[in-house]
Amino acid sequence: MAQSDTVTRILDTAEVLFAERGFAETSLRNITSKARVNLAAVNYHFGSKKALIQAVFARYLDPFSERFHSALDELEARYEGRDIPLEVLLETMATTVLTVPAERNSLKVFMRLLGLAYSQAQGHLRRYIQQQYGDVFSRFTELVRRATPDLPDAERFWRLHFMLGTVIFTLSGLDALRDIAEKDYHQHVSVRDLVRRLRPVVVAGMNAPLPDERDVEHHADTVAH
Amino acid sequence: MAQSDTVTRILDTAEVLFAERGFAETSLRNITSKARVNLAAVNYHFGSKKALIQAVFARYLDPFSERFHSALDELEARYEGRDIPLEVLLETMATTVLTVPAERNSLKVFMRLLGLAYSQAQGHLRRYIQQQYGDVFSRFTELVRRATPDLPDAERFWRLHFMLGTVIFTLSGLDALRDIAEKDYHQHVSVRDLVRRLRPVVVAGMNAPLPDERDVEHHADTVAH
DNA sequence: GTTTGTTTAAAACATGCGTTTTTGTGGCTT
DNA sequence: AAGCCACAAAAACGCATGTTTTAAACAAAC
């Protein structure tokens, strides 16, 4: 019983500290002391700090990947060959993202970790995530492609990342934003409240009119000097 | 002449390294060796690493703040009391953001730094930026408020941050995204090209329909377990 | 009951960090 | 010419980090 308890305690503590302060700013001594575990336990069980970081991600992304795959399976079965509407696809992704960390009560941590994976240098992490979970994302984008046949490929690519940016940025910087929001508007904001607000914005962004070609020149004028 | 040269070389090198790897991951030795400057020069000229970080930001944000203020002055004069359309406000902000770093040829660095300011822990930085440049942002949001009278205050607050997230996330993670985009679509993407694509998405996001109240309950069901 | 393998505990190690101190240098003032 | 001052260079300091090593505890296997 004592065997795996240490591993779990390390992971539980590490994910919180990583999410709060980033990877470089969180030392193994921070983790092990707060987890009331010996310092050497991390290197013993995981091998290195990098491996610990990847393990923290795997504990979120493995269930997510699995569930998202089956959700897409179910969706494809239900629509039996017909294109799945964009709103349904986005909705499915949202609920999957929300479902996974609900079991460990911390969507905030999950999103913050995703944000770190993007923003923090940590080249090994991006590579790990890409090669480990790239196929789920590819499958999703292919379905989105069929759902938006009128959108040029490049435009869809960018808009998907725009929307990804909106969600990750918002939910990962949630604490800071929440502070400002509550100071200015004296109202509490829950994650689900935010997701509710995000939905129409994301959909509208994906369905926005195509950019005007002439804009390019206009900007070129103002930028050059 | 040798006096300020060191300071400039430190700033030039630091901003690039910070943008590439983050603050904690960039040591003073990294900076000073690449800038071919003595290690102690940083602490001599800036006092500390924190102060260096703030100085790097100030070199971008001071001109930005000044120009944005005068751009808004001009705008308010031109509209003499009438509400300024949202598109014009966004456009003005965009061109100001694009103009400032154009002079030092690196919008990418500027946006990446902004992204770091959000995502990286670095409490001192957020405090510094807030107290130093909070008034420009307040002035801007007030004008946005008048431009979108039908939007509830909270909704407008969040949508502004959504859009901020879209832009910062995209432009700060530009290198990674550009790699993927060029691999998939074999086309080069310039920053101005991206801004052109961002514009309709941002406008559409701000003008999206208000969220449906019932959604809250729906999500609550799926999240609980 | 001894042995064996796994886990924890404690200590030590090597490295890199931000910062400080000391010394050297060149130019400007008095 | 002497002194001063701004700056640069080099070295050292103290500290925190990731990792490794050594020793102890403990359960399972024979």
Side-chain angles (χ1 to χ4, degrees), chain A residues 65-215:
Chain A
S65 172
E66 187 189 344
R67 269 163 223 239
F68 197 37
H69 262 309
S70 29
L72 293 182
D73 286 343
E74 188 183 329
L75 226 48
E76 285 189 317
R78 180 169 347 136
Y79 281 86
E80 36 189 29
R82 301 190 311 276
D83 292 344
I84 306 167
L86 177 65
E87 284 80 357
V88 175
L89 286 171
L90 295 176
E91 196 64 40
T92 302
M93 182 172 212
T95 50
T96 309
V97 169
L98 287 174
T99 307
V100 170
E103 296 170 357
R104 57 177 60 266
N105 92 25
S106 181
L107 174 65
K108 186 183 72 183
V109 169
F110 184 29
M111 296 312 292
R112 182 103 176 96
L113 289 175
L114 283 184
L116 286 178
Y118 257 92
S119 67
Q120 212 101 330
Q122 298 291 116
H124 73 98
L125 226 195
R126 244 202 305 269
R127 263 176 275 127
Y128 170 79
I129 291 181
Q130 182 121 2
Q131 82 173 45
Q132 204 82 3
Y133 309 100
D135 54 338
V136 202
F137 192 69
S138 298
R139 184 179 176 191
F140 176 71
T141 54
E142 171 58 21
L143 290 175
V144 170
R145 194 186 65 75
R146 293 195 209 145
T148 55
D150 296 336
L151 222 48
D153 280 356
E155 196 65 34
R156 178 174 40 243
F157 169 86
W158 285 111
R159 289 190 179 184
L160 265 178
H161 281 285
F162 293 164
M163 299 302 102
L164 210 62
T166 307
V167 175
I168 291 181
F169 182 89
T170 302
L171 266 42
S172 75
L174 199 149
D175 285 347
L177 292 177
R178 184 139 49 185
D179 283 351
I180 309 175
E182 289 180 358
K183 182 165 51 112
D184 288 7
Y185 305 110
H186 308 94
Q187 66 170 21
H188 179 72
V189 272
S190 70
V191 171
R192 284 202 301 279
D193 189 39
L194 262 185
V195 173
R196 182 178 62 91
R197 293 184 197 275
L198 274 168
R199 189 220 297 253
V201 174
V202 168
V203 172
M206 289 297 295
N207 291 324
L210 291 181
D212 190 345
E213 297 291 340
R214 289 165 302 161
D215 291 348

Side-chain angles (χ1 to χ4, degrees), chain B residues 68-85:
Chain B
F68 197 37
H69 262 308
S70 27
L72 292 182
D73 287 342
E74 189 184 328
L75 227 48
E76 285 189 318
R78 181 170 345 138
Y79 281 85
E80 34 190 29
R82 301 191 310 275
D83 292 345
I84 305 169

Side-chain angles (χ1 to χ4, degrees), chain B residues 8 14 26 33 37 40 54 56 61 75 85 103-105 113 115 125 134-135 161-162 172 181 186 192:
Chain B
T8 306
T26 303
S33 70
V37 150
Q54 296 181 356
V56 166
L61 290 183
L75 227 48
E103 297 169 358
R104 56 176 60 266
N105 91 26
L113 289 176
L125 226 196
D135 54 339
H161 280 285
F162 293 165
S172 76
H186 308 95
R192 284 203 300 279

Side-chain angles (χ1 to χ4, degrees), chain B residues 38-53:
Chain B
N38 190 269
L39 169 62
V42 170
N43 281 277
Y44 177 79
H45 287 288
F46 298 93
S48 68
K49 187 181 181 181
K50 282 185 182 180
L52 206 214
I53 294 175

